[in-house]
Amino acid sequence: MTVAYISHSDCGRHDTGWGAPEHVGRLRAITSALKYDLELFGAMHHVEGRHATAEELALAHDARYIRAIHDLAARGGGRLDADTVASEGSWAAATAAAGCVLDGVDLAFAAQPMRAFCAVRPPGHHALRDAAMGFCLFGNVAVAAHYARKKHGAERVLIVDWDVHHGNGTQALVEDEPGIHFVSMHQWPWYPGTGEASDRGRGNVWNIPMPPGLPPAAYVDALERGIDDATRAFTPDLVLVSAGFDCLRGDPLGGFTLEPEDLAAVTRRLVARANDWCGGRVVSALEGGYAVDRVAQGVLAHLHALGAT
Ligand SMILES: [Zn+2]
């Protein structure tokens, strides 16, 4: 077992209010489930992540927007878009969410260990350069991709996003960088309305729009074809995963039919490819997933698969 489990208690301080689908109980469900899998719990390398700095966030976001989030939280919070809020603790939470993923990258490049899962919130893949969107404040994974290039000299970074929603924010934050390839499989048409197959960014984006209700194998096959296409003549130095567990059957915000074992199978094959590409560097970060018991089951299956050698 060679997986870091990275989290930060501040991720619980992003208070979205009563009844919000994205709430701290999502993380608590994962922690609770881990206590019933003592073998997995004991085998992982537990890390309390750090806070990303404003300079690190500026790898993907406008300095003025970063400052605005800081100041809004300092004033006690407020609404950012139709379904995104900040509370007093949201600056600490959002910088911790991004910082945990940066720590995962640092660990991967130091082989301590090569793979990590970051149990973080708020999620990140809808956040834009200068705006919050869809429960997301900062593009945790997009920031990490740019960070890996700048800090560790990674020339090629692959991002795989299997959240049921299009990673429109990640696409916006990486599509000008040909050294980053982005694969997003998502329900379509669906929130946020983007991510058609013809939208290729600058040629470094592979969008895989899918209807709801197909057999799980259809999603698995489509995603793996997308990964094949994105890595033709492109050998990643690092694989980042936007692990949204709202692609599981039963999620209230999605209509995909995947089961935890399907994500485990995808993860195992991605680890095998990463072993060939880059010594197995895979850093995965929690995105969506709103049926909390399913999120916990999905994360545990994903963790087992990340740890398989
Ligand atoms: Zn989602």
Side-chain angles (χ1 to χ4, degrees):
M1 172 63 71
T2 50
V3 178
Y5 182 85
I6 310 177
S7 60
H8 195 297
S9 56
D10 278 351
C11 289
R13 295 179 59 200
H14 175 58
D15 181 358
T16 48
W18 182 254
E22 199 293 291
H23 58 80
V24 66
R26 302 172 60 240
L27 294 184
R28 290 187 183 143
I30 298 169
T31 316
S32 300
L34 274 174
K35 291 190 177 132
Y36 290 94
D37 193 337
L38 289 174
E39 197 179 337
L40 176 64
F41 186 86
M44 292 187 305
H45 176 44
H46 295 262
V47 177
E48 167 135 306
R50 63 185 172 89
H51 293 271
T53 65
E55 291 71 31
E56 288 165 341
L57 296 172
L59 292 167
H61 292 283
D62 283 349
R64 192 184 305 179
Y65 169 67
I66 297 165
R67 169 58 54 180
I69 296 295
H70 172 273
D71 292 351
L72 181 63
R75 290 196 303 271
R79 185 158 290 281
L80 288 158
D81 90 340
D83 36 36
T84 313
V85 296
S87 67
E88 189 175 8
S90 292
W91 171 257
T95 53
C100 285
V101 188
L102 301 186
D103 267 354
V105 170
D106 287 339
L107 291 173
F109 278 93
Q112 292 180 334
M114 302 298 270
R115 290 188 287 285
F117 177 74
C118 308
V120 295
R121 64 181 286 277
H125 76 152
H126 297 304
L128 301 171
R129 189 167 297 280
D130 59 357
M133 182 174 170
F135 311 152
C136 303
L137 301 188
F138 298 124
N140 306 325
V141 165
V143 170
H146 289 291
Y147 175 83
R149 288 176 50 77
K150 180 154 191 258
K151 173 86 185 290
H152 294 287
E155 289 180 25
R156 290 170 299 277
V157 179
L158 173 69
I159 303 174
V160 176
D161 183 331
W162 67 53
D163 187 284
V164 77
H165 305 100
H166 177 227
N168 64 301
T170 302
Q171 176 171 336
L173 299 181
V174 307
E175 68 182 354
D176 290 326
E177 175 46 69
I180 303 174
H181 281 193
F182 178 54
V183 180
S184 176
M185 181 180 69
H186 41 268
Q187 187 170 330
W188 199 86
W190 200 238
Y191 182 87
T194 49
E196 291 180 68
S198 60
D199 179 3
R200 297 288 324 283
R202 310 285 184 268
N204 58 334
V205 172
W206 285 262
N207 278 313
I208 309 167
M210 298 288 284
L214 298 179
Y219 301 110
V220 170
D221 292 349
L223 180 59
E224 298 204 333
R225 274 200 305 279
I227 295 169
D228 287 343
D229 290 343
T231 54
R232 218 157 265 146
F234 182 92
T235 304
D237 301 305
L238 169 69
V239 178
L240 296 172
V241 180
S242 267
F245 293 88
D246 46 10
C247 63
L248 294 174
R249 183 191 296 275
D251 192 276
L253 299 190
F256 282 5
T257 59
L258 290 159
E259 295 293 339
E261 56 265 32
D262 298 313
L263 293 180
V266 170
T267 304
R268 275 194 300 273
R269 284 193 281 273
L270 199 51
V271 167
R273 293 188 215 211
N275 282 334
D276 292 338
W277 292 328
C278 55
R281 284 187 203 107
V282 180
V283 177
S284 176
L286 180 66
E287 297 281 1
Y290 305 102
V292 292
D293 51 338
R294 297 287 280 162
V295 172
Q297 292 165 1
V299 168
L300 260 59
H302 180 48
L303 281 167
H304 275 285
L306 277 175
T309 48

